[in-house]
Amino acid sequence: MTAPGWEPGYGAPAGGTPAAPGAAPAPAPVPAAAAYSASVPGYGGTPAGYGVPAPGWEGEPGPDAPWASAAAGPDGPDAPREDPYAPAQAPQGTGTGDGDAYAAAPHGEGRTCVACRAGHVDPDGYCEHCGHAQPRERDHLEEELCSVAAVSDRGLRHHRNEDSFAVSATALPDGSAATVAIVCDGVSSASRPDEASAAAAGAANEALLEALPRGADPVEAMHGAILAAAAAVTALAPPAPGAQNAPACTLVGAVVSGGVLTIGWVGDSRAYWVPDDRAALARRLTEDDSWAAQMVAAGLMGEAEAYADVRAHAITGWLGADAYDLEPHTASFRPDHPGVVVVCTDGLWNYAESAREMAQVLPADAADRPLHSAQVLVGHALDGGGHDNITVAVVPFAGPAEPHAQTEAEPEAEPQARPRA
């Protein structure tokens, strides 16, 4: 399939739609590491994360947070908020995989209620002053690693956050840096979707950090990472043969290395290319594994009509024990100018669907302030209604290592794509 917006002749992402239904074999599970240490000189050993809780749980949000003006209630900082979880941030040092109420040890010491900001939190996770239940750890997560950042938020309608992400960096054999961003969206209609997305993000990240320093081709490494993620999600399914409603999730990932942008995906999570020069054309780099995309590709419906249908978001590809035969989509691009890659779940792109809309929402200084930009994008989705969990990673791309000088009459070349062999 060709990623929408790319002109014919630039190549098509590898991989097609899933094959005829059939139970995929359950490969050996791939363990997900808890964290990684960046090995690129200059990273200072900053740990890579799977969406570690953002700092400042007990304080006010930073001035750059899109919801900063709503940090306190209408009557001041001591007044309860209508939705106490929304601007709150989780404590440092806790896990992200279980989706349960966070547990900072010891309970009740040093923890102040995020709603009234006066009472202490009891061992059961409730405020002793106002009685509010405290937010779960995964309700809002942020991670920044050098120049890549990601934010995940529960949204305003879901009772838990079923998205997960991982951002990391490593060194290639030649000493240059490789940056990784993985975003996963748990399938709500399946069992344990929050666990599925966490397992997939961790396994894919681990596989890439193992393959890239060995000199593996980024496209092949991404392909293997998606298979590793699928194995990790499959391992969550009950051992009984033919188990229904197995844990499932989608995945989209990006690797920036050596002047090449590599994308991989399964499902309807997306990647967008937004040039620093907003006069240049922004593009969507992925094509959804969804009912709507199939209708458009088959010429049976127009894009607007297909995505307005109630069946539009029914996915036709996913990771899980009950998935169709898995064929990961992969593609690599060589943009000849700097920009950023936006990797996100449908909780964001539902509010900025086209590449042009995404470029309009993304701050102009996204390459210099990726965390702030990810916060702004999440805030845009929350302002739009926040109907789903929202997760986005912003990955700056510096452009070619040795950019050639353009003459005034020389047109700017479009990013090139090559299919995986």
Side-chain angles (χ1 to χ4, degrees):
M1 297 182 291
T2 302
W6 294 95
E7 297 295 334
Y10 287 110
T17 56
V30 177
Y36 301 95
S37 295
S39 56
V40 178
Y43 279 85
T46 305
Y50 298 103
V52 299
W57 181 281
E58 302 196 10
E60 297 293 330
D64 291 336
W67 47 79
S69 61
D75 299 321
D78 293 330
R81 293 181 293 243
E82 287 185 19
D83 190 352
Y85 102 85
Q89 299 176 351
Q92 291 281 7
T94 58
T96 61
D98 57 12
D100 294 332
Y102 71 78
H107 282 285
E109 294 185 15
R111 292 184 58 200
T112 303
C113 175
V114 300
C116 68
R117 299 191 181 275
H120 291 287
V121 179
D122 67 20
D124 294 324
Y126 290 86
C127 176
E128 296 174 341
H129 176 67
C130 69
H132 270 101
Q134 301 304 288
R136 288 170 293 191
E137 179 189 348
R138 282 175 65 172
D139 280 349
H140 185 85
L141 304 170
E142 297 185 0
E143 176 77 7
E144 185 172 34
L145 177 67
C146 199
S147 64
V148 58
V151 176
S152 182
D153 193 273
R154 189 187 76 179
L156 304 178
R157 303 296 181 91
H158 279 228
H159 72 284
R160 65 181 175 186
N161 190 356
E162 297 168 357
D163 289 356
S164 290
F165 67 80
V167 293
S168 58
T170 188
L172 300 178
D174 64 1
S176 62
T179 304
V180 174
I182 302 292
V183 167
C184 297
D185 184 354
V187 177
S188 295
S189 59
S191 63
R192 298 152 61 198
D194 52 332
E195 296 181 40
S197 64
N205 194 42
E206 181 176 352
L208 286 167
L209 291 182
E210 191 278 330
L212 292 172
R214 292 190 290 101
D217 178 78
V219 174
E220 295 296 335
M222 179 65 76
H223 186 270
I226 296 176
L227 295 180
V233 178
T234 297
L236 298 176
Q244 299 296 314
N245 204 31
C249 70
T250 69
L251 180 148
V252 62
V255 173
V256 172
S257 60
V260 178
L261 166 59
T262 302
I263 302 294
W265 76 98
V266 173
D268 64 349
S269 293
R270 293 181 176 180
Y272 293 83
W273 165 256
V274 181
D276 287 350
D277 178 6
R278 297 303 169 83
L281 191 63
R283 299 181 181 276
R284 174 150 64 98
L285 306 181
T286 58
E287 184 174 344
D288 300 342
D289 288 323
S290 70
W291 180 91
Q294 285 193 344
M295 293 299 102
V296 174
L300 299 176
M301 301 175 75
E303 187 168 354
E305 180 186 7
Y307 279 96
D309 194 283
V310 294
R311 298 164 290 183
H313 289 278
I315 58 174
T316 57
W318 63 90
L319 306 181
D322 59 355
Y324 297 131
D325 292 340
L326 178 64
E327 181 58 38
H329 308 289
T330 55
S332 66
F333 309 96
R334 290 183 177 271
D336 63 357
H337 46 279
V340 298
V341 186
V342 177
V343 185
C344 64
T345 62
D346 60 348
L348 171 61
W349 67 252
N350 277 328
Y351 299 97
E353 187 168 341
S354 70
R356 179 180 180 183
E357 290 172 317
M358 189 66 71
Q360 290 174 338
V361 177
L362 187 72
D365 60 353
D368 298 321
R369 303 175 70 193
L371 179 58
H372 168 71
S373 299
Q375 292 169 338
V376 169
L377 292 175
V378 169
H380 174 75
L382 292 172
D383 289 343
H387 285 74
D388 200 352
N389 306 144
I390 309 152
T391 301
V392 57
V394 176
V395 190
F397 181 91
E402 298 179 3
H404 65 281
Q406 288 183 323
T407 64
E408 187 173 340
E410 182 182 6
E412 183 182 49
E414 296 293 349
Q416 301 295 301
R418 64 175 175 84
R420 185 176 66 87

